[in-house]
Short mmCIF file of all heavy atoms in Angstrom, two decimals:
data_model
loop_
_atom_site.label_atom_id
_atom_site.label_comp_id
_atom_site.label_asym_id
_atom_site.label_seq_id
_atom_site.Cartn_x
_atom_site.Cartn_y
_atom_site.Cartn_z
N ARG Q 458 -110.41 -53.51 -94.29
CA ARG Q 458 -111.34 -53.66 -95.22
C ARG Q 458 -111.10 -52.74 -96.43
O ARG Q 458 -111.28 -53.23 -97.63
CB ARG Q 458 -112.77 -53.39 -94.60
CG ARG Q 458 -113.38 -54.37 -93.76
CD ARG Q 458 -114.78 -54.01 -93.34
NE ARG Q 458 -115.53 -55.01 -92.50
CZ ARG Q 458 -116.15 -56.01 -93.05
NH1 ARG Q 458 -116.30 -56.02 -94.40
NH2 ARG Q 458 -116.83 -56.88 -92.37
N ILE Q 459 -110.75 -51.51 -96.21
CA ILE Q 459 -110.53 -50.62 -97.36
C ILE Q 459 -109.36 -51.06 -98.16
O ILE Q 459 -109.39 -51.03 -99.35
CB ILE Q 459 -110.33 -49.23 -96.69
CG1 ILE Q 459 -111.67 -48.76 -96.12
CG2 ILE Q 459 -109.85 -48.22 -97.94
CD1 ILE Q 459 -111.49 -47.38 -95.37
N LYS Q 460 -108.29 -51.51 -97.52
CA LYS Q 460 -107.08 -51.90 -98.20
C LYS Q 460 -107.29 -53.19 -99.00
O LYS Q 460 -106.71 -53.34 -100.11
CB LYS Q 460 -105.89 -52.09 -97.23
CG LYS Q 460 -104.64 -52.58 -97.73
CD LYS Q 460 -103.61 -52.84 -96.69
CE LYS Q 460 -102.24 -53.33 -97.24
NZ LYS Q 460 -101.19 -53.60 -96.24
N ASN Q 461 -108.00 -54.15 -98.51
CA ASN Q 461 -108.30 -55.44 -99.10
C ASN Q 461 -109.51 -55.53 -100.03
O ASN Q 461 -109.76 -56.57 -100.63
CB ASN Q 461 -108.32 -56.57 -98.12
CG ASN Q 461 -106.93 -56.70 -97.47
OD1 ASN Q 461 -106.02 -57.37 -98.04
ND2 ASN Q 461 -106.71 -56.17 -96.33
N GLY Q 462 -110.40 -54.47 -99.96
CA GLY Q 462 -111.53 -54.42 -100.79
C GLY Q 462 -111.40 -53.42 -102.04
O GLY Q 462 -110.41 -52.93 -102.27
N ASP Q 463 -112.49 -53.33 -102.70
CA ASP Q 463 -112.50 -52.52 -103.93
C ASP Q 463 -113.54 -51.46 -103.76
O ASP Q 463 -114.69 -51.56 -104.05
CB ASP Q 463 -112.78 -53.37 -105.27
CG ASP Q 463 -112.73 -52.53 -106.48
OD1 ASP Q 463 -112.07 -51.43 -106.43
OD2 ASP Q 463 -113.22 -52.98 -107.48
N TYR Q 464 -113.09 -50.34 -103.14
CA TYR Q 464 -114.02 -49.30 -102.59
C TYR Q 464 -113.70 -47.92 -103.36
O TYR Q 464 -112.51 -47.76 -103.77
CB TYR Q 464 -113.90 -49.02 -101.20
CG TYR Q 464 -114.46 -50.23 -100.33
CD1 TYR Q 464 -113.68 -51.12 -99.80
CD2 TYR Q 464 -115.85 -50.33 -100.09
CE1 TYR Q 464 -114.14 -52.13 -98.93
CE2 TYR Q 464 -116.30 -51.26 -99.34
CZ TYR Q 464 -115.45 -52.26 -98.77
OH TYR Q 464 -115.94 -53.29 -97.92
N LEU Q 465 -114.71 -47.22 -103.52
CA LEU Q 465 -114.64 -45.88 -104.21
C LEU Q 465 -114.91 -44.80 -103.02
O LEU Q 465 -115.96 -44.90 -102.33
CB LEU Q 465 -115.67 -45.76 -105.30
CG LEU Q 465 -115.77 -44.34 -105.89
CD1 LEU Q 465 -114.45 -44.03 -106.75
CD2 LEU Q 465 -116.98 -44.33 -106.84
N GLU Q 466 -114.01 -43.82 -102.94
CA GLU Q 466 -114.27 -42.82 -101.94
C GLU Q 466 -115.09 -41.64 -102.58
O GLU Q 466 -114.66 -40.92 -103.40
CB GLU Q 466 -112.81 -42.25 -101.50
CG GLU Q 466 -112.84 -41.35 -100.31
CD GLU Q 466 -111.53 -40.85 -99.79
OE1 GLU Q 466 -110.53 -41.27 -100.43
OE2 GLU Q 466 -111.46 -40.35 -98.59
N ILE Q 467 -116.36 -41.63 -102.17
CA ILE Q 467 -117.23 -40.69 -102.72
C ILE Q 467 -117.21 -39.25 -102.14
O ILE Q 467 -117.59 -38.36 -102.76
CB ILE Q 467 -118.72 -41.18 -102.67
CG1 ILE Q 467 -119.17 -41.41 -101.18
CG2 ILE Q 467 -118.89 -42.46 -103.49
CD1 ILE Q 467 -120.64 -41.76 -101.01
N LYS Q 468 -116.73 -39.25 -100.92
CA LYS Q 468 -116.35 -37.89 -100.32
C LYS Q 468 -115.31 -38.22 -99.26
O LYS Q 468 -115.09 -39.40 -99.07
CB LYS Q 468 -117.60 -37.15 -99.68
CG LYS Q 468 -118.27 -38.00 -98.70
CD LYS Q 468 -119.57 -37.32 -98.19
CE LYS Q 468 -119.40 -36.11 -97.55
NZ LYS Q 468 -120.58 -35.48 -96.94
N GLU Q 469 -114.74 -37.35 -98.74
CA GLU Q 469 -113.56 -37.49 -97.79
C GLU Q 469 -113.88 -38.50 -96.74
O GLU Q 469 -114.75 -38.20 -95.89
CB GLU Q 469 -113.02 -36.19 -97.24
CG GLU Q 469 -111.72 -36.42 -96.48
CD GLU Q 469 -111.23 -35.07 -95.97
OE1 GLU Q 469 -111.81 -34.01 -96.20
OE2 GLU Q 469 -110.09 -35.14 -95.22
N GLY Q 470 -113.28 -39.65 -96.79
CA GLY Q 470 -113.41 -40.63 -95.70
C GLY Q 470 -114.65 -41.53 -95.88
O GLY Q 470 -114.88 -42.44 -94.96
N VAL Q 471 -115.50 -41.38 -96.84
CA VAL Q 471 -116.67 -42.16 -97.02
C VAL Q 471 -116.49 -43.13 -98.21
O VAL Q 471 -116.26 -42.60 -99.34
CB VAL Q 471 -117.97 -41.25 -97.19
CG1 VAL Q 471 -119.18 -42.11 -97.38
CG2 VAL Q 471 -118.15 -40.31 -96.13
N PHE Q 472 -116.63 -44.40 -97.95
CA PHE Q 472 -116.33 -45.33 -99.03
C PHE Q 472 -117.54 -46.30 -99.35
O PHE Q 472 -118.31 -46.64 -98.43
CB PHE Q 472 -115.17 -46.31 -98.52
CG PHE Q 472 -113.89 -45.57 -98.36
CD1 PHE Q 472 -113.61 -44.89 -97.14
CD2 PHE Q 472 -112.97 -45.58 -99.35
CE1 PHE Q 472 -112.30 -44.22 -97.01
CE2 PHE Q 472 -111.69 -44.94 -99.23
CZ PHE Q 472 -111.38 -44.27 -98.07
N ILE Q 473 -117.81 -46.51 -100.54
CA ILE Q 473 -118.75 -47.45 -101.08
C ILE Q 473 -118.16 -48.44 -102.06
O ILE Q 473 -116.99 -48.15 -102.53
CB ILE Q 473 -119.92 -46.72 -101.75
CG1 ILE Q 473 -119.46 -46.09 -103.11
CG2 ILE Q 473 -120.57 -45.65 -100.88
CD1 ILE Q 473 -120.59 -45.55 -103.98
N PRO Q 474 -118.73 -49.64 -102.32
CA PRO Q 474 -118.16 -50.55 -103.29
C PRO Q 474 -118.08 -49.90 -104.68
O PRO Q 474 -118.91 -49.20 -105.09
CB PRO Q 474 -119.19 -51.60 -103.31
CG PRO Q 474 -119.84 -51.59 -102.01
CD PRO Q 474 -120.01 -50.10 -101.72
N ARG Q 475 -116.86 -50.18 -105.25
CA ARG Q 475 -116.69 -49.49 -106.57
C ARG Q 475 -117.54 -50.02 -107.64
O ARG Q 475 -118.11 -49.32 -108.49
CB ARG Q 475 -115.20 -49.71 -107.03
CG ARG Q 475 -114.74 -48.99 -108.30
CD ARG Q 475 -113.33 -49.28 -108.52
NE ARG Q 475 -112.45 -48.83 -107.52
CZ ARG Q 475 -111.97 -47.57 -107.37
NH1 ARG Q 475 -112.35 -46.61 -108.25
NH2 ARG Q 475 -111.20 -47.20 -106.37
N GLU Q 476 -117.74 -51.38 -107.68
CA GLU Q 476 -118.55 -52.03 -108.69
C GLU Q 476 -119.62 -52.92 -108.02
O GLU Q 476 -119.30 -53.82 -107.27
CB GLU Q 476 -117.74 -52.78 -109.68
CG GLU Q 476 -116.75 -52.00 -110.56
CD GLU Q 476 -116.03 -52.82 -111.56
OE1 GLU Q 476 -116.42 -54.09 -111.70
OE2 GLU Q 476 -115.06 -52.26 -112.14
N THR Q 477 -120.84 -52.53 -108.12
CA THR Q 477 -121.87 -53.36 -107.58
C THR Q 477 -123.18 -53.21 -108.46
O THR Q 477 -123.37 -52.14 -108.89
CB THR Q 477 -122.08 -52.89 -106.15
OG1 THR Q 477 -123.30 -53.71 -105.65
CG2 THR Q 477 -122.41 -51.48 -106.06
N ASN Q 478 -123.96 -54.21 -108.50
CA ASN Q 478 -125.22 -54.07 -109.18
C ASN Q 478 -126.33 -53.52 -108.31
O ASN Q 478 -127.42 -53.23 -108.75
CB ASN Q 478 -125.68 -55.58 -109.58
CG ASN Q 478 -124.79 -56.18 -110.57
OD1 ASN Q 478 -124.23 -55.49 -111.48
ND2 ASN Q 478 -124.59 -57.48 -110.54
N ASN Q 479 -126.05 -53.23 -107.02
CA ASN Q 479 -126.96 -52.71 -106.04
C ASN Q 479 -126.21 -51.71 -105.22
O ASN Q 479 -125.94 -51.85 -104.04
CB ASN Q 479 -127.49 -53.83 -105.18
CG ASN Q 479 -128.68 -53.37 -104.29
OD1 ASN Q 479 -129.24 -52.38 -104.55
ND2 ASN Q 479 -128.96 -54.13 -103.33
N PRO Q 480 -125.92 -50.52 -105.84
CA PRO Q 480 -125.28 -49.47 -105.16
C PRO Q 480 -126.00 -48.95 -103.94
O PRO Q 480 -127.24 -48.92 -104.03
CB PRO Q 480 -125.04 -48.36 -106.21
CG PRO Q 480 -126.12 -48.63 -107.19
CD PRO Q 480 -126.35 -50.04 -107.26
N PRO Q 481 -125.36 -48.45 -102.95
CA PRO Q 481 -126.08 -47.80 -101.80
C PRO Q 481 -126.88 -46.57 -102.19
O PRO Q 481 -126.46 -45.82 -103.16
CB PRO Q 481 -125.05 -47.49 -100.75
CG PRO Q 481 -123.69 -47.39 -101.66
CD PRO Q 481 -123.96 -48.39 -102.70
#
Side-chain angles (χ1 to χ4, degrees):
R458 282 184 175 275
I459 293 171
K460 180 180 177 181
N461 291 277
D463 187 14
Y464 291 99
L465 174 68
E466 190 171 11
I467 58 172
K468 58 186 297 188
E469 185 177 0
V471 180
F472 295 85
I473 66 170
R475 187 179 301 275
E476 294 184 9
T477 175
N478 294 326
N479 189 13

